[in-house]
């Protein structure tokens, strides 16, 4: 854990927001769904937070909620990844994309 | 160790942004998701070495079990699901992320209620805000999933739904404000707050029609990103702040693009519901009648055409007809017919949904054109074949200023010399608006499930050889 002061956080927030905007603005329409799925995967980083919080759990209630957090977060990350890869596979050159269902 | 952890988070954040950037081109997209995946694995592994995590071995075991359970279920479902059902799976995985962010805030707030220490200041407010957004995204995405999966077909609208939603939202905000600013919160209030937020997410989503779900899912995707960023702030985790915010803004932009393609402001999608009140209005002044055609006749029209444009819609996705369509395309091309595909930005359930399905069936993407590219060509098209699309080819969007879809860009299928429409029944589309294209003189209706109808076309063309 690092200390991120109020304004430093605000700057990170602002710069990241512009980055996300810039990256998406040039995406062709055909990639919108994979892109949505891909960005869905990326917020699976919540898993890191879930692990940290679960690791610091002390009471049973905290452990229960922490467990839910970790399970949900890993579902987000893994599901998001597999779904995105499956979709993007279809856009790879057609030689290796025959007969897949 | 701490420096090492921070370096890995830093690299992971870079990988996420680069990965997302690579995903913006079809050529590099697969590499992009792999890069982001490497970042994710690395960040999750070092998270175990954060101070305190290894202090309690029970917790470590529980974490591993939770990861196994969560990823096991997600992996099997994501592998098994049909491509056509992908939109609702994105919704559910997104909802899980939102739920996780809310649960993280839950642990922090429960700790506070347990008399540990107030988090204090802005951080405490952000924790509550992240919890609110995450919880709404969680329950809202679950409803979106249920709707698209067909578990919940009815659009539920309670009496005074808007007032109820507003009241609920205000109550949630009040509870949240009390928790966000007090030094000593009660666990009961935290519980009430979460219940209110979850119920609000449900009631917020139920009145929105199935056709608008992609926009809503995209919005919830942005919500989850934001919730993750806020919880990242609470935990002092820069990787979470960066990744969450990038997704938050990218998701917001994507939502806007989708709403723009439907020519409806986002507020209109979220807070009004068309179809219910405007469906009846479009009944007047339809000229002509629907003219039915048999599969064999339609096949002959197409086989002797020079140029055929196929317009797929949700009906093709539901019937899983994309492979049949691909077969039809090959047959026609073998006869020297030029075949192109016209994709409306909101055809199907998500932007790019049709492209994904056609790619699955092995159709080259240089044959797949979008609205601006194909529309000028329609007057030279011999046959426009509409497969399970409706509102996106409805000419009233151009002609009738009173129509709720007036001004929405459409595919000008009505300008083709002939138009064949494959449609399951005679009913109106998702929006409930009558489609004047179906009554036009040069339109023929081929009734039936898309898979079966395209099958008839294929066998019809084969008999000509």
């Amino acid at each position: 854990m690092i200390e991120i002061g109020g304004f430093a956080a605000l700057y990170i927030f602002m710069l990241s927001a512009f980055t996300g905007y810039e990256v998406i603005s040039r995406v062709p329409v055909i990639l919108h769904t994979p892109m949505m799925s891909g960005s869905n995967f990326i917020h699976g980083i919540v898993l890191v937070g879930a692990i940290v919080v679960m690791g610091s759990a002390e009471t049973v209630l905290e452990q229960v909620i922490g467990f839910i957090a970790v399970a949900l977060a890993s579902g987000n990350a893994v599901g998001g990844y597999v779904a995105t890869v499956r979709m993007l596979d279809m856009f790879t050159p057609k030689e290796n994309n025959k007969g897949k269902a | 160790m701490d420096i090492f952890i921070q370096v890995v988070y830093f690299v992971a954040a870079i990988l996420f942004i680069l990965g997302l950037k690579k995903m913006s081109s079809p050529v590099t997209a697969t590499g992009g998701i792999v890069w982001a995946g490497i970042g994710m694995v690395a960040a999750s592994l070092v998270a175990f070495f954060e101070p305190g995590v290894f202090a309690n071995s029970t917790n470590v075991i529980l974490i591993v079990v939770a990861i196994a359970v969560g990823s096991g279920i997600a992996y099997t479902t994501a592998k098994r699901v049909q491509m056509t059902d992908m939109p609702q799976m994105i919704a559910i995985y997104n909802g899980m992320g939102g739920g996780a962010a809310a649960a993280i805030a839950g642990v922090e707030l429960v700790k506070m209620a347990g008399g540990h220490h107030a988090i204090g200041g802005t951080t405490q407010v952000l924790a509550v805000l992240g919890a609110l957004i995450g919880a709404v995204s969680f329950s809202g995405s679950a409803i979106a999933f249920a709707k698209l999966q067909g578990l919940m077909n009815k659009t539920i609208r309670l009496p005074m739904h808007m007032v109820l939603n507003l009241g609920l939202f205000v109550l949630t905000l009040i509870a949240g404000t009390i928790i966000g600013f007090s030094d000593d919160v009660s666990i009961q209030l935290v519980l009430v707050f979460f219940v209110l937020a979850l119920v609000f997410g449900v009631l917020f989503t139920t009145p929105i029609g199935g056709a608008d779900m992609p926009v809503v899912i995209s919005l919830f995707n942005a919500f989850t990103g934001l919730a993750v960023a806020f919880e990242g702030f609470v935990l002092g985790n820069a990787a979470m702040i960066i990744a969450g915010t990038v997704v938050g803004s990218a998701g917001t932009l994507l939502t806007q693009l989708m709403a723009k393609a439907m020519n409806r402001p986002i507020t209109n999608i979220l807070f009004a519901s068309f179809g219910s009140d405007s469906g009846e209005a479009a009944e007047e002044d339809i000229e002509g009648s629907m003219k039915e055609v048999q599969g064999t006749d339609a096949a002959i029209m197409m086989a002797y055409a020079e140029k055929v444009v196929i317009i797929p819609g949700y009906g093709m996705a539901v019937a899983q007809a994309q492979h049949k369509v691909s077969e039809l395309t090959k047959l026609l091309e073998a006869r020297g017919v030029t075949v192109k595909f016209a994709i409306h930005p909101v055809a199907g359930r998500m932007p790019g949904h049709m492209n994904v399905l056609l790619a699955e069936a092995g159709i080259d993407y240089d044959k797949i054109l979008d609205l601006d590219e194909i529309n000028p060509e329609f007057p030279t098209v011999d046959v426009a074949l509409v497969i399970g699309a409706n509102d996106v080819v409805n000419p009233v969007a151009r002609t009738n200023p009173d129509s709720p879809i007036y001004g929405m860009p459409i595919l000008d299928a009505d300008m083709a010399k002939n138009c064949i429409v494959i449609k399951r029944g005679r009913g109106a589309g998702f929006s409930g608006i009558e489609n004047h294209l179906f009554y036009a003189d040069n339109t023929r209706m081929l009734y039936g499930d898309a898979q079966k109808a395209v099958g008839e076309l294929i066998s019809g063309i084969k008999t000509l050889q």
Side-chain angles (χ1 to χ4, degrees):
Chain A
M1 174 158 186
I2 48 172
E3 280 306 319
I4 300 170
F7 267 95
L10 205 59
Y11 281 119
I12 296 179
F13 196 74
M14 185 260 303
L15 292 172
S16 310
F18 278 110
T19 308
Y21 198 90
E22 280 303 309
V23 166
I24 276 274
S25 60
R26 268 160 294 176
V27 178
V29 178
I30 59 163
L31 281 177
H32 275 177
T33 299
M35 191 62 155
M36 187 197 284
S37 182
S39 59
N40 176 34
F41 162 68
I42 284 172
H43 63 54
I45 188 69
V46 70
L47 176 58
V48 168
I51 291 173
V52 171
V53 157
M54 175 77 202
S56 70
E58 283 160 15
T59 64
V60 175
L61 181 61
E62 287 166 25
Q63 283 177 328
V64 170
I65 306 174
F67 188 88
I68 294 172
V70 176
L72 287 178
S74 45
N76 180 185
V78 173
Y81 186 83
V82 176
T84 311
V85 167
R86 276 189 61 188
M87 267 185 249
L88 289 177
D89 269 350
M90 294 166 188
F91 289 94
T92 47
K94 51 187 294 200
E95 291 86 70
N96 47 32
N97 131 53
K98 286 285 167 207
K100 266 190 202 168
Chain B
M1 200 60 205
D2 197 43
I3 292 291
F4 176 69
I5 294 173
Q6 295 311 325
V7 168
V8 173
Y9 287 162
F10 183 72
V11 173
I14 294 174
L15 285 173
F16 289 154
I17 294 171
L18 287 180
L20 210 54
K21 185 161 169 41
K22 280 162 82 77
M23 268 187 253
S24 61
S25 152
V27 187
T28 54
T30 316
I33 184 71
V34 173
W35 281 33
I38 294 169
M40 186 72 71
V41 171
S44 315
L45 284 180
V46 297
F48 280 93
F49 297 97
E50 288 257 8
V53 175
F54 266 126
N56 185 333
S57 53
T58 326
N59 283 349
V60 176
I61 294 167
L62 284 174
I63 293 172
V64 175
V65 173
I67 291 178
V69 171
S71 32
I73 295 173
Y75 183 83
T76 32
T77 49
K79 274 279 180 201
R80 277 199 197 147
V81 69
Q82 292 284 351
M83 255 317 140
T84 36
D85 293 338
M86 231 19 143
Q88 53 263 46
M89 295 319 285
I90 298 178
I92 202 77
Y93 299 137
N94 171 56
M96 288 169 112
I104 289 173
V107 173
E108 296 288 335
L109 294 175
V110 165
K111 272 187 185 165
M112 235 174 81
H116 268 265
H117 50 282
I119 309 170
T122 330
T123 320
Q124 191 173 330
V125 177
L126 284 183
V128 175
L129 213 53
L132 170 62
I133 300 170
V136 169
S137 173
F138 175 70
S139 58
S141 297
I143 297 295
F145 169 81
K147 285 202 166 198
L148 290 182
Q149 189 71 21
L151 301 173
M152 197 176 127
N153 288 324
K154 286 201 69 148
T155 299
I156 299 167
R157 234 171 258 125
L158 304 172
M160 309 229 295
H161 202 113
M162 284 296 291
V163 181
L164 189 72
N165 269 3
L166 192 67
L168 199 60
F169 184 63
V170 170
L171 272 181
T172 319
L173 275 190
I174 291 171
T177 313
I178 297 172
I179 299 170
F181 288 99
S182 76
D183 299 329
D184 181 32
V185 293
S186 75
I187 196 138
Q188 288 84 356
L189 186 61
V190 173
L191 189 67
V192 167
F193 165 71
F194 274 106
V195 171
L196 283 173
L198 289 172
V199 174
F200 176 71
V202 170
L203 291 184
F204 177 78
T205 321
T206 46
I208 303 170
D212 290 330
M213 271 309 143
V215 181
V216 177
I217 294 172
S218 174
L219 184 73
F220 284 143
N221 188 34
F223 273 16
T224 305
L226 209 56
V228 170
F230 287 163
E231 298 314 321
F233 188 84
V234 175
L235 299 172
N237 187 311
M240 279 172 74
I241 303 180
I242 294 170
T245 313
V246 165
V247 174
S249 74
T252 308
L253 178 60
L254 200 55
T255 313
Q256 281 171 351
L257 291 176
M258 291 162 79
K260 205 171 147 200
M262 298 170 115
N263 198 41
R264 298 173 61 204
I266 292 170
T267 45
N268 188 337
I269 292 171
L270 298 180
F271 302 117
S273 25
F274 87 114
S276 58
D277 28 311
S278 44
E280 270 64 56
E283 260 179 46
E284 25 42 274
D285 75 357
I286 299 174
E287 288 170 21
S289 60
M290 292 201 204
K291 291 164 283 291
E292 199 175 339
V293 69
Q294 295 304 316
T296 42
D297 297 332
I300 290 169
M301 281 170 77
M302 293 176 73
Y304 292 100
E306 270 177 37
K307 193 168 175 186
V308 170
V309 169
I310 299 176
I311 304 169
Y314 188 57
M316 183 188 83
V318 172
Q320 297 276 348
Q322 63 270 29
H323 295 281
K324 288 270 183 203
V325 170
S326 172
E327 197 185 335
L328 175 69
T329 308
K330 293 202 177 84
L331 271 176
L332 286 171
E333 282 175 341
R335 297 183 58 95
V337 182
T338 311
V339 182
K340 289 182 180 175
F341 288 83
I343 310 284
H344 189 272
V346 294
R349 281 295 175 273
M350 294 214 161
H353 192 191
M354 290 300 127
N355 306 75
V356 170
L357 295 178
L358 293 176
E360 184 195 9
I363 290 163
D364 284 340
Y365 45 75
D366 47 352
K367 274 183 221 152
I368 302 174
L369 305 177
D370 64 26
L371 192 120
D372 298 332
E373 292 168 322
I374 195 78
N375 265 352
E377 287 194 34
F378 271 112
T380 66
V381 170
D382 298 306
V383 179
L385 177 67
V386 178
I387 306 176
N390 191 343
D391 295 331
V392 298
V393 290
N394 193 344
V396 298
R398 272 199 325 262
T399 56
N400 181 2
D402 297 328
S403 168
I405 59 167
Y406 180 71
M408 179 171 103
I410 57 154
L411 290 164
D412 298 328
D414 55 318
M415 296 196 178
K417 291 172 196 155
N418 295 288
C419 188
I420 299 169
V421 178
I422 295 177
K423 198 166 176 308
R424 254 196 302 197
R426 286 162 191 269
F430 238 119
S431 60
I433 306 162
E434 281 291 353
N435 194 334
H436 289 225
L437 172 70
F438 300 165
Y439 297 91
D441 287 337
N442 56 347
T443 302
R444 295 290 177 274
M445 306 298 292
L446 179 54
Y447 290 111
D449 164 86
Q451 172 116 348
K452 190 178 129 275
V454 177
E456 282 173 21
L457 292 177
I458 290 172
S459 46
I461 292 171
K462 277 186 179 159
T463 57
L464 298 173
Q465 284 164 345

